[in-house]
Amino acid sequence: MEDLAPAIVLIEPQLGDNIGAAARAMLNCGLQDLRLVRPRDGWPNPNARAMASGADEVLDRARQFDTLADAVADLRWVFATTGRRRDMVKHEVTPAEAAAEIHRKSALGERCGVLFGRERIGLTNDEVVLADAILTVPLNPAFRSLNLGQAVLLVAYEWFRFADETPPRQRIEAGLPRATHGELQIFIDHLEEALTSADYFKVDEMKPVIVRAIRNLFTRAELTDREVRTLHGIVTALVGRRRDQL
Amino acid sequence: MEDLAPAIVLIEPQLGDNIGAAARAMLNCGLQDLRLVRPRDGWPNPNARAMASGADEVLDRARQFDTLADAVADLRWVFATTGRRRDMVKHEVTPAEAAAEIHRKSALGERCGVLFGRERIGLTNDEVVLADAILTVPLNPAFRSLNLGQAVLLVAYEWFRFADETPPRQRIEAGLPRATHGELQIFIDHLEEALTSADYFKVDEMKPVIVRAIRNLFTRAELTDREVRTLHGIVTALVGRRRDQL
């Protein structure tokens, strides 16, 4: 994973907290190559470690550089994260597109990196010019200000998400097998019989409609066999109680 | 936007900082309905305001609830965010799928909400049971621990991203029009002439190949008309300098 993953380059980060949050977000998403250009409070920074919440391996391997040019010297494609438009003709990509392009280029052996600017003022125009493309996160135009750690998270998350194969929606079985349709049928028969005895079906013509509605409801619930047994017990208990009351 | 947006429900959040980070992430992505169930340090909380970095409107409208049941009483679909598997048969969705489903259900007028648990222990099983589905963020299996504010950001970001129509890759013009192909041709002619005079094409047969490579390079650069003028000036200056040297 690592060789294909982009480098994350933080330029003059001011707060150790944010470096730590960035490291945590990186490791959450399988990124490990953190590069720091002139961190304000020097390096290493204990505040970074506290905020990293265990992402120590990223901090331990982080490298410090004196210039941005040094930090990106081995990279073939560089994206500059920025929230505001520059007076500059350049391609701009979304985080999802950047992730797709990084995956494609990395698969060809071409290392990529993403630049993040200072907390308050971001990247200078001279720094943006060094990048092959601008990366802008689409956000609420009325409130675009993104924390540094959160900006790193979104870029890293899109990178992870691109190759992730988790099914969008799946049923967690938790070791409890689904009931068979035969088991469900026996329960519906049991319930129908109990309801008939209880004189629930006042009008005979309505009975098939009501039974169908009941069947649909319990089918949609995607019952486990244990749940079907629970429902049998509930019906039996309620019938017993009614008998006792008679 | 607001009526279609999901409610964000934080259950017993411990740190005001995290409530503030969640509010900021929400407003970044156009969400405004923040619901707090028994926040540990009471409400309002000055730490939340400091971390919200201007997302005051979300904090000002945040509502406090005594129970989760009260907090979700008006919602028709509820997702429970959790990082670990439960001993429970339930559907599990990714943030992207949750976003898609929330958009579809909201469009039908059915309000949705997403639950987030306590910083340390997350949601209890009794709380997860109340939800229609589990929402799990796919992350590096070796380091899944996500900060509360960052978890809210990812869910909110996917919701915003679903309806966002930003082109994946676009060229920012910055008011500087692209050169015409005629202008580019004149520049290539100028350069070719200058190179011929400078005896750059040692072997005549190679000249078309080299000129084609030069043309391709400058075409790929997608020059503006101002840049073509700059390049003319560069060639003229270099030719002049060489003449001076002769």
Side-chain angles (χ1 to χ4, degrees):
Chain A
M1 180 130 79
E2 185 196 342
D3 285 333
L4 297 173
I8 298 296
V9 185
L10 307 186
I11 302 177
E12 295 187 349
Q14 298 164 250
L15 300 174
D17 283 14
N18 287 334
I19 301 173
R24 180 178 183 174
M26 286 173 64
L27 195 57
N28 280 147
C29 301
L31 302 187
Q32 305 224 357
D33 184 354
L34 176 59
R35 307 179 181 195
L36 306 171
V37 179
R38 298 185 300 273
R40 188 190 67 184
D41 298 339
W43 191 253
N45 181 328
N47 292 343
R49 200 156 294 262
M51 272 299 279
S53 295
D56 293 337
E57 56 195 281
V58 175
L59 297 179
D60 291 342
R61 300 174 55 184
R63 283 175 288 167
Q64 204 181 168
F65 295 87
D66 288 335
T67 69
L68 172 57
D70 287 345
V72 301
D74 63 319
L75 304 177
R76 292 185 196 276
W77 301 96
V78 172
F79 297 86
T81 308
T82 167
R84 60 191 166 82
R85 282 289 165 87
R86 310 289 174 142
D87 190 23
M88 202 181 291
V89 178
K90 224 172 178 71
H91 283 270
E92 181 185 79
V93 296
T94 60
E97 173 66 14
E101 295 183 9
I102 289 170
H103 274 278
R104 286 196 294 271
K105 293 176 193 308
S106 301
L108 301 171
E110 300 181 342
R111 289 222 67 193
C112 302
V114 185
L115 313 184
F116 295 84
R118 301 143 191 89
E119 284 89 338
R120 292 217 171 274
I121 58 162
L123 296 168
T124 66
N125 282 347
D126 282 338
E127 289 159 350
V128 173
V129 158
L130 286 185
D132 299 292
I134 288 171
L135 194 168
T136 299
V137 182
L139 290 172
N140 176 3
F143 191 73
R144 299 183 45 82
S145 146
L146 206 56
N147 166 277
L148 177 56
Q150 290 184 317
V152 171
L153 174 66
L154 292 182
V155 169
Y157 169 71
E158 287 282 12
W159 180 82
F160 184 86
R161 185 181 182 285
F162 183 85
D164 177 63
E165 292 177 347
T166 307
R169 179 176 264 267
Q170 62 184 321
R171 176 183 154 100
I172 302 171
E173 300 284 342
L176 295 164
R178 166 107 199 225
T180 64
H181 276 255
E183 287 167 338
L184 181 62
Q185 178 66 55
I186 292 169
F187 166 67
I188 301 287
D189 289 346
H190 178 188
L191 179 59
E192 182 180 336
E193 190 187 295
L195 291 175
T196 304
S197 303
D199 204 24
Y200 173 77
F201 303 108
K202 310 283 186 205
V203 185
D204 268 4
E205 304 87 82
M206 285 306 290
K207 186 171 166 181
V209 176
I210 296 170
V211 170
R212 194 184 308 131
I214 289 170
R215 180 185 303 282
N216 194 38
L217 173 174
F218 284 109
T219 303
R220 199 171 57 231
E222 303 178 354
L223 301 170
T224 63
D225 53 10
R226 182 189 287 179
E227 288 165 343
V228 170
R229 288 197 298 276
T230 299
L231 289 170
H232 274 296
I234 287 172
V235 172
T236 302
L238 293 178
V239 167
R241 178 143 188 217
R242 198 177 54 80
R243 281 205 188 111
D244 293 346
Q245 287 173 340
L246 289 181
Chain B
M1 180 133 76
E2 185 198 344
D3 285 333
L4 297 173
I8 298 296
V9 185
L10 307 186
I11 301 177
E12 295 188 350
Q14 298 164 249
L15 300 173
D17 283 14
N18 287 334
I19 301 172
R24 181 177 182 175
M26 286 173 64
L27 194 56
N28 280 148
C29 301
L31 303 186
Q32 306 224 355
D33 184 354
L34 176 60
R35 306 179 182 195
L36 306 171
V37 179
R38 299 184 301 272
R40 188 190 66 184
D41 298 339
W43 191 254
N45 180 329
N47 292 344
R49 200 156 295 264
M51 272 299 278
S53 295
D56 293 337
E57 58 195 280
V58 175
L59 297 178
D60 291 342
R61 299 175 55 185
R63 282 175 288 167
Q64 204 182 166
F65 294 87
D66 288 335
T67 68
L68 172 56
D70 287 345
V72 301
D74 63 319
L75 304 178
R76 293 184 194 275
W77 301 96
V78 172
F79 297 85
T81 308
T82 167
R84 59 189 168 85
R85 281 288 165 89
R86 310 291 175 141
D87 189 22
M88 201 182 290
V89 178
K90 225 172 178 71
H91 283 270
E92 181 185 78
V93 296
T94 60
E97 173 66 15
E101 295 184 8
I102 289 170
H103 274 278
R104 286 197 293 271
K105 294 176 192 310
S106 301
L108 301 171
E110 300 180 343
R111 289 223 66 193
C112 303
V114 184
L115 314 184
F116 294 84
R118 301 142 191 90
E119 284 89 339
R120 292 220 170 271
I121 58 163
L123 296 168
T124 65
N125 282 346
D126 282 338
E127 290 160 351
V128 173
V129 158
L130 286 185
D132 299 293
I134 287 170
L135 193 168
T136 299
V137 183
L139 290 172
N140 176 3
F143 191 73
R144 299 184 46 82
S145 145
L146 205 56
N147 167 277
L148 177 57
Q150 290 183 315
V152 171
L153 175 66
L154 291 183
V155 169
Y157 169 71
E158 287 281 14
W159 180 82
F160 184 86
R161 184 181 183 284
F162 183 86
D164 177 62
E165 293 176 348
T166 307
R169 178 176 264 267
Q170 61 185 320
R171 177 182 152 99
I172 303 172
E173 300 284 341
L176 295 164
R178 166 108 200 223
T180 65
H181 277 254
E183 287 167 337
L184 181 62
Q185 178 65 56
I186 292 169
F187 166 66
I188 301 287
D189 289 346
H190 178 187
L191 179 60
E192 182 181 340
E193 191 188 293
L195 291 174
T196 304
S197 304
D199 203 23
Y200 173 78
F201 304 108
K202 310 283 186 204
V203 186
D204 267 5
E205 304 87 82
M206 286 306 289
K207 184 171 168 181
V209 176
I210 296 170
V211 170
R212 194 184 308 130
I214 290 169
R215 179 186 302 283
N216 194 38
L217 173 174
F218 283 110
T219 303
R220 200 172 54 231
E222 303 178 355
L223 301 169
T224 64
D225 53 9
R226 182 190 287 179
E227 288 166 343
V228 170
R229 288 198 298 275
T230 300
L231 289 170
H232 274 294
I234 287 172
V235 171
T236 302
L238 293 177
V239 167
R241 178 144 187 215
R242 199 175 53 79
R243 282 208 186 107
D244 294 346
Q245 289 173 338
L246 291 180

